[in-house]
């Protein structure tokens, strides 16, 4: 750092506004630690355990499905991350360039619901972890403690989140390796390798859960790369994010499956983790508790950014700062805490329903965003138009994006298999869920075809967009 440079403030001052070059800082390796450390947590462990608990795969096929899902979904997620340094703005407000200033509201609202769902789910896990460590602490009190801890981190913002995850990468990485070592040397079941089997439905369902885990980060992953200097390479941003997220989440998913198989059937996942890790079980639970509190700050941060984006759409001259973000964070925290206290008893079933529903609506959005950024605009956008009430050159609505988005949702319906609806194609192939794959394969070329033929839009782009 040169003598004229100053350290970035501890409390983040930017919200949805453009981050100017003078405020950029950090290295691409910070993205690896953010997404690796953030994914060593109870929620991915619980989700990974579903491969053997709910879908009845054996260890081999469960691990294969987990890896395939994360490696595939992680590529999409990392492509979104690479947009951050190029744009300097959060992911959701960038969606105005694809959908229009008003057309993007649906996508932003869906993302906000997703963040709130994950935040609520995580504070339930934080409460359960704290209650497991200290039974004298009632579950509702544990939930509130977890929510407040995440709230403080989220209010401080970007820099503190990165610092905590740099520390967490080492502490949690070493912790989960020790946990694997203990479990494999203290297996309590005779059917560790043989329990379960293979089914196409179970395998594809596990792949879908793992892929969605990655895709669910897509609406906010570039929020954590937008402060990097403009001259960092797209490839560097992509690979740091990709390997951090896929390695961290794969380890957690597999850890959950291994812990469940190493203990007698019938235990809840975190109880199985504690039983499987024996003498180091309490230490593992403490580490996971700290992890879920730290990682959950990202969900609160994303929810608040979505709320600000929604409001700013109608009050376009308002670019709020840290005080507005803190107030909205506190309000969101209180609402989610109340919901978590009353919904904690049947958390798992609600969570599975949530992620399966999100899969249907997130996939077309991610396809449109990536095609627009990499194939249509090639990263070249007019930032000032994105913040105008009428959408500037992008308009209030982009019919091409909205049409492709709607079709992308509709074509998935016959291939869906969720607790709410089972499509005819899914039923015909014994319950296998291929909706997310169909959504990607249809939406991507459809949007490219529609957008590349919108001659009026392209003329406006050539007139107003800045050169690369």
């Amino acid at each position: 750092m040169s003598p004229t440079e100053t350290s970035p403030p501890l409390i983040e001052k930017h919200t949805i506004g453009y981050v100017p070059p003078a405020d950029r800082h950090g290295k691409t390796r910070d993205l690896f630690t953010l997404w690796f450390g953030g994914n060593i947590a109870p929620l991915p462990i619980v989700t990974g355990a579903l491969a053997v608990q709910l879908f009845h795969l054996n260890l081999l096929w469960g691990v294969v499905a987990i890896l395939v899902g994360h490696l595939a979904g992680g590529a999409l997620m990392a492509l979104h991350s690479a947009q951050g340094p190029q744009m300097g703005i959060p992911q959701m407000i960038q969606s105005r360039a694809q959908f229009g200033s008003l057309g993007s509201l649906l996508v932003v609202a869906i993302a906000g619901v997703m963040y709130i769902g994950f935040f609520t789910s995580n504070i339930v896990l934080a409460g359960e972890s704290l209650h497991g460590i200290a039974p004298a602490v009632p579950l509702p009190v544990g939930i509130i403690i977890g929510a407040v801890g995440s709230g403080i981190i989220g209010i401080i913002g970007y820099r503190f989140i990165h610092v905590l995850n740099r520390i967490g990468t080492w502490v949690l990485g070493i912790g989960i390796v020790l946990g694997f070592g203990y479990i494999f040397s203290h297996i309590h079941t005779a059917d560790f390798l043989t329990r379960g089997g293979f089914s196409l439905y179970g395998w594809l369902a596990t792949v879908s859960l793992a892929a969605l885990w990655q895709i669910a980060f897509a609406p906010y992953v570039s929020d954590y790369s937008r402060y990097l200097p403009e001259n960092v390479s797209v490839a560097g941003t992509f690979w740091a994010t990709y390997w951090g997220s896929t390695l961290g989440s794969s380890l957690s998913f597999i850890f959950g499956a291994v812990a469940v198989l190493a203990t007698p059937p019938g235990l809840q996942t975190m109880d199985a983790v504690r039983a499987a890790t024996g003498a180091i079980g309490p230490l593992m639970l403490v580490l996971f508790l700290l992890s879920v509190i730290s990682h959950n700050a990202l969900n609160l941060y994303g929810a608040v950014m979505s709320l600000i984006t929604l409001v700013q759409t109608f009050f376009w001259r308002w670019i709020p700062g840290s005080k507005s973000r803190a107030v909205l964070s506190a309000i969101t925290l209180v609402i989610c805490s109340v919901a978590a206290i009353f919904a904690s008893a049947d958390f798992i079933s609600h969570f599975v329903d949530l992620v399966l529903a999100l899969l249907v609506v997130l996939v077309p959005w991610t396809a449109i965003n990536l095609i627009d950024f990499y194939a249509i605009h090639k990263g070249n956008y007019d930032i000032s138009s994105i913040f105008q009430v009428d959408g500037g050159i992008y308009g209030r609505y982009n019919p091409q994006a909205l049409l492709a988005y709607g079709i992308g949702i509709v074509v998935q319906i016959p291939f869906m298999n969720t607790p709410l609806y089972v499509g005819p194609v899914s039923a015909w192939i014994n319950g296998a869920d291929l909706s997310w794959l169909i959504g990607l394969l249809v939406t991507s070329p459809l949007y490219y075809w529609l957008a590349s033929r919108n001659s009026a839009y392209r003329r406006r782009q050539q007139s107003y967009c800045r050169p690369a």
Side-chain angles (χ1 to χ4, degrees):
M1 180 177 293
S2 67
T4 59
E5 292 179 303
T6 59
S7 299
L10 178 61
I11 298 180
E12 182 183 353
K13 65 179 181 179
H14 293 286
T15 55
I16 61 173
Y18 172 72
V19 181
D23 291 344
R24 305 289 188 94
H25 57 87
K27 305 289 185 183
T28 54
R29 63 173 176 264
D30 296 335
L31 299 175
F32 177 90
T33 54
L34 173 69
W35 297 109
F36 182 90
N39 276 295
I40 307 294
L43 192 54
I45 289 172
V46 170
T47 308
L50 297 177
V52 296
Q53 284 180 324
L54 184 61
F55 304 125
H56 306 295
L57 297 177
N58 60 25
L59 180 60
L60 173 62
W61 286 112
V63 169
V64 171
I66 287 168
L67 292 176
V68 169
H70 282 300
L71 293 174
L76 302 175
M77 178 261 202
L79 284 170
H80 286 287
S81 178
Q83 299 173 14
Q86 315 303 316
M87 297 286 289
I89 57 177
Q91 189 77 70
M92 278 296 95
I93 201 164
Q94 185 213 328
S95 291
R96 293 176 180 175
Q98 290 97 44
F99 292 86
S101 60
L102 297 181
S104 65
L105 290 178
L106 173 62
V107 183
V108 176
I110 290 171
V113 170
M114 180 192 72
Y115 302 139
I116 290 172
F118 278 113
F119 180 76
T120 305
S121 300
N122 271 294
I123 59 176
V124 170
L125 281 178
E128 291 176 348
S129 297
L130 183 56
H131 180 68
I133 295 167
V137 178
L139 179 59
V141 175
I143 288 173
I144 293 172
I145 292 173
V148 171
S150 297
I152 293 171
I153 298 169
I155 289 171
I156 295 175
Y158 179 95
R159 187 183 176 201
F160 193 40
I161 290 171
H162 273 284
V163 168
L164 289 178
N165 280 283
R166 281 198 293 270
I167 298 170
T169 291
W170 288 101
V171 175
L172 295 166
I174 292 171
I176 202 166
V177 169
L178 292 175
F180 271 116
Y182 190 96
I183 291 174
F184 282 118
S185 61
H186 297 79
I187 295 174
H188 302 291
T189 55
D191 61 350
F192 178 74
L193 295 176
T194 58
R195 188 189 310 172
F198 173 82
S199 68
L200 183 60
Y201 157 69
W203 192 83
L204 288 174
T206 302
V207 170
S208 295
L209 278 179
L212 176 61
W213 184 265
Q214 299 294 333
I215 295 172
F217 291 126
Y220 69 3
V221 62
S222 72
D223 295 7
Y224 301 95
S225 61
R226 75 189 196 276
Y227 279 88
L228 291 176
E230 291 178 300
N231 60 356
V232 301
S233 69
V234 170
T237 307
F238 174 89
W239 289 116
T241 304
Y242 181 77
W243 289 119
S245 186
T246 56
L247 288 174
S249 52
S250 294
L251 280 174
S252 291
F253 269 56
I254 295 170
F255 189 81
V258 166
V260 167
L261 290 173
T263 53
L267 291 177
Q268 295 294 323
T269 301
M270 296 312 294
D271 293 332
V273 168
R274 184 168 188 172
T277 51
I280 65 171
L283 174 62
M284 296 295 296
L285 290 181
V286 170
L287 292 178
F288 290 146
L289 172 62
L290 297 176
S291 172
V292 74
I293 291 174
S294 174
H295 174 76
N296 209 23
L298 276 67
N299 293 310
L300 179 62
Y301 185 94
V304 171
M305 297 289 268
S306 295
L307 290 172
I308 292 174
T309 301
L310 287 170
V311 175
Q312 197 272 343
T313 302
F314 303 100
F315 301 93
W316 66 282
R317 295 185 184 276
W318 177 62
I319 304 294
S322 56
K323 290 183 179 179
S324 298
R325 188 167 55 81
V327 171
L328 286 173
S329 296
I331 294 172
T332 304
L333 185 152
V334 170
I335 294 173
C336 291
S337 297
V338 172
I341 290 171
F342 287 101
S344 58
D346 51 0
F347 153 72
I348 290 296
S349 62
H350 284 306
F351 175 70
V352 173
D353 292 354
L354 172 67
V355 295
L356 292 176
L358 288 173
L359 187 63
V360 176
V361 297
L362 277 181
V363 167
W365 169 82
T366 199
I368 290 169
N369 179 271
L370 294 178
I371 290 296
D372 193 80
F373 185 91
Y374 290 102
I376 302 297
H377 284 88
K378 298 178 171 59
N380 203 14
Y381 291 91
D382 180 43
I383 301 298
S384 63
S385 286
I386 290 175
F387 288 93
Q388 293 177 20
V389 67
D390 62 355
I393 65 170
Y394 306 114
R396 288 184 169 86
Y397 300 96
N398 180 0
Q400 289 75 28
L402 293 171
L403 177 61
Y405 184 72
I407 293 174
I409 293 175
V410 170
V411 297
Q412 295 181 73
I413 294 175
F415 301 88
M416 290 170 52
N417 186 352
T418 72
L420 301 177
Y421 175 78
V422 178
V425 177
S426 178
W428 183 62
I429 54 177
N430 297 321
D433 189 335
L434 300 178
S435 59
W436 66 282
L437 183 59
I438 300 301
L440 281 175
L441 293 177
V442 171
T443 309
S444 299
L446 174 62
Y447 177 68
Y448 180 80
W449 182 80
L450 291 170
S452 62
R453 281 157 178 76
N454 184 6
S455 58
Y457 174 76
R458 293 182 65 166
R459 285 196 299 272
R460 292 200 307 271
Q461 177 191 353
Q462 293 170 359
S463 300
Y464 291 97
C465 275
R466 299 183 308 210

